[in-house]
Amino acid sequence: MTFNRQISALAGSLALVALVGAQAAHAETVKFAAKLDAAQEVPPTDSKGTGTADISYDTDSKKLEWTVEYSGLTGDATAGHFHGPAAEGEKAGVAVPFEGSLASPIKGSATLTDAQAADLEAGKYYVNIHTAANKDGEIRGQVIKSEM
């Protein structure tokens, strides 16, 4: 093999290794969590309900997955969603609705847009559970990055 062909082969191999390494470094599963209660609602409710949300986000596929568990609500859940973009104490529209059964635990997934992913990672999403007695939301929790 000539010196030029050796250099070309080496350069091609290094480019392939760099491409594979960049893709592997780019893809990541990020964990998020939320603690839901009545005090975080805007305005707060007098519900004794509480809940948790365990959330994971795959940065490569943009797939968001969640499990939301709750108890102590004034009645059956009538709706549940991720809302955003909004900081704590602010309201926002529905960003990702929960579909299917709203009985605890609520499990689901969705593929986010680039804008939704940026809002999620910036801490601008919250989880909200609604009931007939609290049509605007009974319990709410801000979504934050989790150590787990």
Side-chain angles (χ1 to χ4, degrees), residues 56-140:
S56 64
Y57 175 66
D58 184 303
T59 61
D60 189 39
S61 67
K62 296 189 172 135
K63 186 174 184 180
L64 182 71
E65 295 182 297
W66 60 86
T67 299
V68 177
E69 297 183 68
Y70 61 83
S71 63
L73 300 181
T74 58
D76 292 339
T78 57
H81 329 271
F82 286 96
H83 289 254
E88 285 185 59
E90 296 177 353
K91 284 187 169 188
V94 173
V96 179
F98 298 160
E99 297 180 0
S101 173
L102 297 175
S104 183
I106 303 169
K107 294 180 183 252
S109 66
T111 301
L112 301 184
T113 65
D114 289 341
Q116 288 174 320
D119 289 339
L120 172 72
E121 295 202 64
K124 296 181 178 178
Y125 266 18
Y126 63 91
V127 174
N128 206 9
I129 305 293
H130 305 255
T131 61
N134 293 282
K135 292 179 182 7
D136 290 336
E138 183 160 332
I139 58 174
R140 169 183 164 155

Side-chain angles (χ1 to χ4, degrees), residues 2 7 18 28 49 54 62 69:
T2 67
I7 294 295
E28 177 184 12
D54 292 314
K62 296 189 172 135
E69 297 183 68

